Amino acid sequence: MSDRKNVTAWLREHPPPGPFRPGFWRSPLRGPWLTSVFGLVLLFGIPIIAITGLVSYAAYDPHLPINDTTPEKGWLGFYLFDWPTHPAWLYRVTQGVHVVLGLALTSVLLAKLWSVIPKLFTWPPARSPAEAVERASLLLLVGGAVFEFATGILNIQLFYVFPFSFYPAHLYGAWIFLAAFVVHVAFKLPKMVRSLRSRSFLRELRTRLDATQPEPPDPDGLVPPSPAEPTMSRRGLLAFVGGASLITLGLSAGQTLDGPLRRTALLAPHGRDYGPGPNDFQVNKSATAMGVRLADTGPAWRLELAGPHPVRLSRAELLAMPLHTYALPIACVEGWSTEQLWTGVRLADLARLAGMAPGTAEVLVVSLQRGGSFRRASLSTGQVADPRSLLALRVNGTDLSLDHGYPARIIVPNAPGVHNTKWVRRLSFHPSAK
Ligand SMILES: Nc1nc2c(c(=O)[nH]1)N[C@H]1C(S)=C(S)[C@@H](COP(=O)(O)O)O[C@H]1N2
Ligand SMILES: [Mo]
């Protein structure tokens, strides 16, 4: 026997106390079949969350000046493309799916982690260098999953508690998690298929508590060597996890729907019903919260157009220009969205007024809000040129309320909510850098 084997054997016989002891984990429900059921759900769900999430990053048009705060993203942005303005509802759907599915699968993720928890305490931690590499990759997988779900959930609850900026961190985390996920799936897929075939799902759904038996012992040690008496059937556990998932889905999906179903979005901070008035829809950040001063939005307010022909316009002058009305959604990165009827001046008309041909002009939008990261955004040439892109002055037939961006705000079809800048002070038209 080599020294390494000696050491390994000695270590195995002398585990530290507590969770490292084989007899510590006793749930008779743990086993490869159960883990594989949760794994199968995540195998289909995670790629959808991942793709819609990466799409969301593309929708930020990070190649435009100032939109992106991700330093050194380098080749992580290899897939980026010019985000279109058609169809207007696309980002509403992709981001709604990203957030709502992420919430709904949180309970499945937790159940999956619970089902493999004994493996976290395998002793000795690694028996060979290859095993050490495998376990390190699991650390990235579990750490990445927990990080992505936790930062996502905290962000949509508006708990900005992390000491870093959300979306670069969520993006880096996503790539680390996805790399580990792909490796994990590649290694575990055959085992998952075998485990799923080892029991009949339908029979499991018919098996009551008193007939619940542990799965046969498995080489990975998921099945406890000394199982306790079951206190819950496997179908009970599946119903519990599936039920939690469906309840989360049911209580959050409403945030993406207009109409009475919005009231079902009890889990969404912006999901609640705001009342029947024309300005009674979600407010992401109120004027008070953003330190918008009433004096800045009063009669002295002027819109500054910067470009070859700088212009200053009062609100009355803007209202005297050709006005256009479109039903367009606001779709927030937090997953909520709502369609409203906006009236305002075309960005294309404002570009012309400032001396630039739409189709050649990008615009930097600056709010009169004094602090905070959402006070500026860049819009692409395609966004400026789209006839439905507005500097909105009115909503649903009445003036914008202060919280919705009075005196004027941006509304661009299919743009993430955060690019629909409120309380606009200046539009700087400039030629596209491309
Ligand atoms: N100046 C400014 N504009 C802003 C924001 C902001 O904080 N400041 N929030 C943005 C975000 S994140 C969203 S989702 C939309 C929400 O618009 P609403 O509050 O009118 O619903 O406004 C955007 N415009
Ligand atoms: Mo937002």
Side-chain angles (χ1 to χ4, degrees):
M1 240 204 260
S2 73
D3 280 357
R4 197 177 81 207
K5 281 194 180 142
N6 270 333
V7 172
T8 317
W10 185 88
L11 281 174
R12 194 174 325 160
E13 273 148 40
H14 298 83
F20 293 95
R21 301 272 158 101
F24 182 87
W25 302 101
R26 301 193 61 200
S27 169
L29 299 188
R30 279 203 188 90
W33 181 83
L34 186 76
T35 294
S36 299
V37 170
F38 296 138
L40 183 66
V41 176
L42 295 174
L43 180 61
F44 284 95
I46 300 269
I48 299 177
I49 302 180
I51 290 168
T52 50
L54 293 174
V55 159
S56 176
Y57 183 62
Y60 272 76
D61 280 322
H63 61 281
L64 295 178
I66 79 129
N67 281 1
D68 192 13
T69 56
T70 312
E72 305 295 330
K73 72 172 175 296
W75 54 267
L76 290 189
F78 70 93
Y79 68 93
L80 296 176
F81 52 97
D82 267 338
W83 186 246
T85 52
H86 283 276
W89 45 261
L90 182 63
Y91 184 76
R92 186 178 193 190
V93 171
T94 58
Q95 194 58 12
V97 167
H98 181 69
V99 170
V100 172
L101 193 59
L103 283 172
L105 289 187
T106 303
S107 41
V108 181
L109 177 75
L110 292 176
K112 169 101 196 310
L113 293 177
W114 171 84
S115 78
V116 295
I117 222 168
K119 296 212 40 166
L120 274 187
F121 297 95
T122 308
W123 190 264
R127 285 166 209 179
S128 64
E131 208 180 76
V133 171
E134 195 217 326
R135 292 181 60 82
S137 84
L138 285 182
L139 219 61
L140 291 182
L141 181 75
V142 175
V146 170
F147 181 83
E148 288 302 280
F149 277 75
T151 50
I153 290 169
L154 289 172
N155 191 63
I156 58 182
Q157 297 299 326
L158 308 182
F159 293 150
Y160 303 127
V161 287
F162 14 86
F164 42 75
S165 163
F166 166 74
Y167 90 113
H170 202 65
L171 178 74
Y172 296 140
W175 281 112
I176 293 171
F177 169 52
L178 286 180
F181 179 77
V182 168
V183 171
H184 184 67
V185 171
F187 275 108
K188 297 288 163 130
L189 197 60
K191 193 178 277 181
M192 187 185 96
V193 173
R194 243 182 293 127
S195 308
L196 286 173
R197 292 212 174 117
S198 72
R199 302 173 93 79
S200 145
F201 190 78
L202 289 179
R203 173 143 359 110
E204 220 47 68
L205 291 187
R206 287 193 297 265
T207 307
R208 293 209 296 244
L209 175 60
D210 49 15
T212 299
Q213 298 288 334
E215 293 182 45
D218 66 317
D220 293 325
L222 293 177
V223 181
S226 47
E229 277 300 303
T231 52
M232 189 187 223
S233 63
R234 240 174 237 105
R235 67 173 183 181
L237 179 62
L238 292 178
F240 177 68
V241 175
S245 183
L246 288 178
I247 288 174
T248 327
L249 181 77
L251 294 185
S252 54
Q255 67 176 320
T256 66
L257 307 169
D258 287 315
L261 280 179
R262 179 173 298 280
R263 270 179 243 152
T264 60
L266 297 175
L267 279 181
H270 293 276
R272 66 196 168 89
D273 189 31
Y274 282 71
N279 271 288
D280 294 341
F281 56 95
Q282 285 73 9
V283 172
N284 182 281
K285 302 275 164 65
S286 70
T288 321
M290 292 296 98
V292 170
R293 301 180 196 186
L294 271 181
D296 294 342
T297 62
W301 175 84
R302 293 290 178 276
L303 174 73
E304 296 169 29
L305 299 182
H309 306 305
V311 186
R312 281 164 66 86
L313 295 163
S314 69
R315 200 163 186 280
E317 286 166 325
L318 284 166
L319 283 168
M321 289 179 67
L323 298 181
H324 302 269
T325 299
Y326 297 102
L328 291 172
I330 291 189
C332 182
V333 64
E334 294 148 23
W336 63 263
S337 55
T338 177
E339 186 180 273
Q340 306 291 335
L341 198 63
W342 306 93
T343 301
V345 180
R346 284 186 174 145
L347 293 186
D349 288 347
L350 294 170
R352 262 186 227 103
L353 203 59
M356 289 202 60
T360 66
E362 279 173 13
V363 69
L364 171 68
V365 182
V366 183
S367 167
L368 52 79
Q369 171 191 334
R370 295 179 188 227
S373 39
F374 299 161
R375 44 186 282 275
R376 303 190 307 166
S378 283
L379 301 175
S380 68
T381 49
Q383 289 173 320
V384 172
D386 191 297
R388 298 163 300 163
S389 294
L390 300 178
L391 181 72
L393 305 162
R394 296 163 67 78
V395 64
N396 300 319
T398 182
D399 280 348
L400 290 172
S401 70
L402 190 58
D403 281 341
H404 285 302
Y406 183 92
R409 76 168 305 162
I410 297 288
I411 287 291
V412 170
N414 197 33
V418 62
H419 287 167
N420 293 329
T421 309
K422 305 196 275 193
W423 315 295
V424 172
R425 179 173 60 114
R426 188 169 65 232
L427 300 175
S428 297
F429 293 98
H430 56 88
S432 155
K434 279 198 288 187

